[in-house]
Amino acid sequence: MTSQILCQGAEAIIIKSNNFVIKDRIPKSYRLKELDEKIRSRRTRSEAKLLLKASSLIDCPSPFFQPSIKGSKKIKMPFIDGKKLSKNLNSFSLDKQKQICRQIGESVAKLHDKDIIHGDLTTSNMILVEAHTKTPNLKKISSLIKSPTKKPGEADFGATNRASAPIIFFIDFGLGFISHKFEDKAVDLHLLKQALETKHFKNWEALFNEFLKGYCKPSNGRVGGNAKTVLERLKAVEKRGRYKH
């Protein structure tokens, strides 16, 4: 078994082990040990539950985790062998960038319709896999990632059957939570808008407009008024930020 550290943040260390990723929450020495154990365990269970729910709606890794197991600080998930969107979006043609942002909008809408707030919605937390990619890893994890669009006889790998469109996987729900509030959904959109404006500034306005087209697209039994209300709340969120001293 081969293992390598992919990255280490303030909250967790991400380890790749064969075709899997393990997210291990780091102990905090400044907290009382018992309190630290409870906090890390609670956050791990919360994130795993969100991933399980989200993976039934959009493309994201479904964890091998039983939320009922007490004390667990680790989440094991399939490794997504793709490109971090934040580092690669700008290299694509404008048409492809727009296509990707529309897809992102549709996925975020599906999460929000079920009151799932990502909490850190940036292109750094999205992995792009080309639909034509043929790697052993994709075949191995194909049956491990749930697909909301799967029909009898189709492969169980979501977007691989969607013509030639790339697959956008959402990752890192560590700051996510459940909320029916339009304010929380608007903040999610605001975070993505800021990410586009900062990292993809050349075409950010056009890309965010494409995102909104996907987000507002009436499909899958969505209640159209919800998107409109979220966008109205987004204006209020941005206004507060503009005049904040």
Side-chain angles (χ1 to χ4, degrees), residues 85-190:
L85 192 59
S86 60
K87 295 182 178 180
N88 291 274
L89 183 62
N90 295 342
S91 65
F92 300 132
S93 69
L94 182 56
D95 284 344
K96 186 169 182 177
Q97 291 183 50
K98 289 181 176 180
Q99 177 191 38
I100 289 170
C101 287
R102 283 196 301 274
Q103 288 178 235
I104 294 171
E106 292 179 26
S107 293
V108 175
K110 291 175 183 177
L111 292 178
H112 285 182
D113 283 348
K114 296 299 181 181
D115 296 332
I116 299 176
I117 310 301
H118 185 279
D120 193 12
L121 197 61
T122 72
T123 51
S124 293
N125 286 327
M126 299 174 193
I127 303 295
L128 180 144
V129 178
E130 297 289 0
H132 57 73
T133 299
K134 295 180 180 180
T135 67
N137 182 60
L138 280 179
K139 293 178 181 178
K140 287 183 179 180
I141 69 174
S142 63
S143 62
L144 305 177
I145 300 178
K146 300 178 182 179
S147 168
T149 58
K150 181 178 179 295
K151 298 177 181 179
E154 288 184 339
D156 193 11
F157 193 49
T160 51
N161 295 303
R162 299 174 211 156
S164 60
I167 312 165
I168 308 299
F169 286 91
F170 285 53
I171 61 172
D172 196 352
F173 283 70
L175 296 177
F177 55 97
I178 298 293
S179 173
H180 67 278
K181 295 180 180 180
F182 294 119
E183 175 86 4
D184 293 327
K185 297 171 185 180
V187 171
D188 247 4
L189 267 58
H190 181 59

Side-chain angles (χ1 to χ4, degrees), residues 18-240:
N18 292 333
N19 290 309
F20 300 96
V21 166
I22 298 171
K23 180 173 184 176
D24 188 2
R25 277 187 161 76
I26 302 170
K28 299 293 185 180
S29 58
Y30 59 81
R31 290 194 292 236
L32 292 174
K33 185 176 180 179
E34 289 186 4
L35 178 61
D36 181 66
E37 291 278 330
K38 289 181 180 180
I39 291 174
R40 289 161 56 220
S41 179
R42 183 181 70 245
R43 290 179 179 174
T44 300
R45 289 198 306 272
S46 177
E47 182 176 5
K49 288 179 180 179
L50 280 180
L51 279 168
L52 285 169
K53 188 173 182 178
S55 65
S56 68
L57 303 168
I58 66 169
D59 289 308
C60 79
S62 181
F64 301 95
F65 179 90
Q66 294 179 345
S68 60
I69 298 178
K70 294 183 178 180
S72 179
K73 316 296 187 308
K74 300 178 181 181
I75 302 176
K76 183 180 180 181
M77 300 165 280
F79 171 67
I80 307 302
D81 190 5
K83 304 173 182 177
K84 184 174 285 190
L85 192 59
S86 60
K87 295 182 178 180
N88 291 274
L89 183 62
N90 295 342
S91 65
F92 300 132
S93 69
L94 182 56
D95 284 344
K96 186 169 182 177
Q97 291 183 50
K98 289 181 176 180
Q99 177 191 38
I100 289 170
C101 287
R102 283 196 301 274
Q103 288 178 235
I104 294 171
E106 292 179 26
S107 293
V108 175
K110 291 175 183 177
L111 292 178
H112 285 182
D113 283 348
K114 296 299 181 181
D115 296 332
I116 299 176
I117 310 301
H118 185 279
D120 193 12
L121 197 61
T122 72
T123 51
S124 293
N125 286 327
M126 299 174 193
I127 303 295
L128 180 144
V129 178
E130 297 289 0
H132 57 73
T133 299
K134 295 180 180 180
T135 67
N137 182 60
L138 280 179
K139 293 178 181 178
K140 287 183 179 180
I141 69 174
S142 63
S143 62
L144 305 177
I145 300 178
K146 300 178 182 179
S147 168
T149 58
K150 181 178 179 295
K151 298 177 181 179
E154 288 184 339
D156 193 11
F157 193 49
T160 51
N161 295 303
R162 299 174 211 156
S164 60
I167 312 165
I168 308 299
F169 286 91
F170 285 53
I171 61 172
D172 196 352
F173 283 70
L175 296 177
F177 55 97
I178 298 293
S179 173
H180 67 278
K181 295 180 180 180
F182 294 119
E183 175 86 4
D184 293 327
K185 297 171 185 180
V187 171
D188 247 4
L189 267 58
H190 181 59
L191 289 172
L192 181 64
K193 186 176 182 179
Q194 285 186 315
L196 291 175
E197 195 172 354
T198 302
K199 296 185 178 181
H200 315 287
F201 55 85
K202 185 177 180 180
N203 300 306
W204 80 267
E205 290 180 288
L207 297 182
F208 189 67
N209 284 335
E210 292 300 317
F211 166 83
L212 292 180
K213 288 179 183 178
Y215 187 79
C216 297
K217 180 180 178 181
S219 61
N220 301 313
R222 296 192 61 209
V223 181
N226 287 349
K228 183 179 179 180
T229 305
V230 173
L231 296 186
E232 290 174 350
R233 193 59 58 88
L234 175 61
K235 293 179 181 178
V237 170
E238 292 177 332
K239 187 176 181 180
R240 287 201 304 270

